[in-house]
Amino acid sequence: MPLPFLTAVLAAFAFLLPALPAAAEGIAETPEPPDRIAAAWRTDRLYVDERLKASVPATEIARIRAAMKTAALPAYVAIVPKTPALEPLLYDLPTLLHARVGEPGLYLVATVTSDYWSAVEEMYRPAGLRGRTLTSVQLEDKQRLDILQDRPAPQIVRTIQQASRAYDGRAIPPAPPGDLEPDRKENPNRGPSLTDQQDRAAFVGIGIGALAGLVLVLILALRGRDHAPTGSGKRRRADRPVLEAPDVAAKADAKIRRAQQALARLERRRHKTADQLDLRDDAHRRLDAARALRAADHQDDVLAAGGALVLARQAEQAAAGKAVQPPCFFNPVHLPGTVSVNWSDDVEVPACQLCANAIRREKTPDGLRVPKPGLFGNDRQRVPYWTLDPEDSPMVATGFGALSDDLPEQLATRKDEVR
């Protein structure tokens, strides 16, 4: 090799060498979305991702800031693109952010896919302070389904107003005409839609279910609970608090409302494609099955509540044009099963990241534990749901849809056998 050429290569390498550790360090230290958003909120409660700053008009930002200033409680707002890396965390993001910030207030994360905006939000009160829930206020807001989804400000501002009403009872002002869907501007007082009526019925059902759930929790508290660990082979399991039917049912009811809203938005679209019509039908099929599982005769059944949660979550995904994801086989209340893991006899099942990590550590995941059927009504012993007889429940037979994506059909054919 000629000496001048070798000298040039060494010089170039010496020039680039100092930059390599810095670049590697920058990659390694890139914070996760919750850490990045929480860090930005320390200086500004309105965080706009760098990738969106050029596409979100200044007028939209100004409207959001004005609403935040007049809110009854601190509002933390993040505007970010919906990326594959963010999606698994999305529904838990307000909780994760509150854990990092540690202050009461409204935590709202707005995301955009193409030109469609959506949001997830949670309201946290100061310790010991009680009042209305944000969900109850949203249910009674007749204009909540009429708000435009092609810009961020209308939905964010409306949610801040709803949180303010839940916090101190102030009235929610009428939405300006520019924030409403075109078909609602012409006749904004035409009365409640079918979805509004369904939501109202669902809310009444939630109240009845909550009362029944409170009675059940009091009974269980007096009788005590058995948390005996159950495992297979060399796997070990750490005891965790057992999820009761009212806990899972509350999550299912919230997800059913979200699925109804997503379907209502899809129904309002004009000139639907064949794919959108297929997704709509699939979403209706899953949502109808979810509602059936939340019927009055299943109020105290954690299996039925878990099945309703899974089906409603899948209905929302279909209505939003997303791929329908299977549940986590071990616990349908967890995030969807996005990781395939080996279970017994080399059977692969979908699992959430939490349960997949437990399997890798040769531990039995903290699965959904249900009362073990027995004589004399002995329901104190709790066992993983997958140890029950699959003939007794479609949820057990299908792993809540993790083993086979035909839970709605099995529910329809085995309606009289649903636990």
Side-chain angles (χ1 to χ4, degrees):
M1 182 180 295
L3 183 59
F5 178 77
L6 181 59
T7 303
V9 171
L10 292 174
F13 182 75
F15 176 77
L16 293 174
L17 188 60
L20 293 177
E25 183 180 356
I27 294 174
E29 294 183 356
T30 300
E32 294 295 321
D35 297 318
R36 186 168 65 251
I37 295 171
W41 277 347
R42 294 191 185 101
T43 56
D44 189 345
R45 290 178 182 167
L46 175 57
Y47 168 75
V48 182
D49 190 282
E50 291 292 338
R51 292 164 288 184
L52 295 179
K53 284 187 175 179
S55 58
V56 179
T59 53
E60 295 284 293
I61 299 298
R63 279 197 64 197
I64 296 169
R65 288 194 183 279
M68 293 170 65
K69 289 180 180 178
T70 59
L73 71 170
Y76 296 86
V77 178
I79 300 176
V80 296
K82 184 180 289 185
T83 62
L86 181 68
E87 193 156 355
L89 296 172
L90 189 56
Y91 289 110
D92 293 323
L93 204 48
T95 303
L96 296 173
L97 289 167
H98 176 249
R100 285 160 171 78
V101 176
E103 296 294 333
L106 171 68
Y107 288 75
L108 185 150
V109 179
T111 59
V112 61
T113 304
S114 183
D115 61 347
Y116 174 76
W117 287 87
S118 60
V120 291
E121 65 280 332
E122 291 288 348
M123 189 179 78
Y124 299 92
R125 298 176 180 275
L129 185 62
R130 297 182 177 274
R132 296 193 59 185
T133 65
L134 177 57
T135 300
S136 68
V137 172
Q138 290 173 326
L139 281 173
E140 73 176 16
D141 183 2
K142 293 182 173 57
Q143 290 187 302
R144 70 188 184 283
L145 298 179
D146 305 332
I147 303 298
L148 283 171
Q149 306 291 324
D150 57 0
R151 292 183 285 116
Q155 191 176 38
I156 293 174
V157 170
R158 195 68 178 179
T159 304
I160 292 174
Q161 293 168 346
Q162 292 165 343
S164 295
R165 177 167 179 78
Y167 190 78
D168 66 4
R170 66 180 65 183
I172 302 177
D179 284 0
L180 298 176
E181 294 281 359
D183 60 335
R184 290 286 179 156
K185 293 178 184 177
E186 299 173 0
N187 189 8
N189 298 316
R190 62 183 181 183
S193 65
L194 176 60
T195 304
D196 293 333
Q197 297 169 18
Q198 292 171 340
D199 282 352
R200 187 178 296 116
F203 182 59
V204 172
I206 291 171
I208 297 173
L211 180 59
L214 178 60
V215 174
L216 176 63
V217 170
L218 290 175
I219 293 173
L220 290 171
L222 293 174
R223 295 174 61 182
R225 288 183 285 182
D226 182 4
H227 296 282
T230 302
S232 61
K234 59 185 176 180
R235 292 193 174 100
R236 295 175 291 107
R237 187 188 67 82
D239 285 337
R240 299 280 184 88
V242 175
L243 282 172
E244 301 291 353
D247 302 324
V248 184
K251 294 177 181 291
D253 291 332
K255 188 57 66 177
I256 286 174
R257 291 193 296 273
R258 287 187 179 276
Q260 290 174 166
Q261 293 167 359
L263 264 171
R265 289 192 291 267
L266 179 58
E267 294 285 9
R268 288 201 297 267
R269 290 190 179 185
R270 300 174 183 176
H271 312 297
K272 300 180 186 68
T273 65
D275 288 342
Q276 288 174 330
L277 291 173
D278 289 342
L279 289 171
R280 179 197 63 184
D281 294 343
D282 185 36
H284 274 296
R285 178 174 64 94
R286 297 176 190 274
L287 184 57
D288 289 345
R291 289 179 180 137
L293 285 173
R294 291 295 297 123
D297 54 338
H298 300 310
Q299 288 296 320
D300 59 347
D301 187 352
V302 69
L303 287 176
L309 172 61
V310 168
L311 290 166
R313 181 165 57 200
Q314 292 175 334
E316 183 186 18
Q317 291 169 346
K322 304 173 186 176
V324 173
Q325 296 177 313
C328 173
F329 168 78
F330 301 100
N331 194 333
V333 181
H334 289 175
L335 293 174
T338 56
V339 182
S340 293
V341 297
N342 286 327
W343 185 227
S344 61
D345 300 326
D346 295 326
V347 174
E348 283 197 350
V349 296
C352 67
Q353 193 64 57
L354 180 67
C355 291
N357 291 340
I359 291 291
R360 293 190 188 101
R361 295 193 301 269
E362 298 186 341
K363 294 183 179 180
T364 298
D366 188 46
L368 181 66
R369 300 175 69 78
V370 298
K372 182 179 180 180
L375 297 176
F376 312 113
N378 179 20
D379 63 353
R380 294 182 62 186
Q381 184 178 0
R382 300 301 180 105
V383 297
Y385 83 88
W386 60 80
T387 64
L388 301 182
D389 187 349
E391 293 296 324
D392 290 342
S393 169
M395 271 68 72
V396 178
T398 65
F400 291 91
L403 303 177
S404 60
D405 189 26
D406 61 348
L407 182 55
E409 289 75 17
Q410 291 217 28
L411 288 169
T413 57
R414 298 172 59 182
K415 184 176 180 180
D416 294 336
E417 301 178 25
V418 174
R419 287 177 51 81

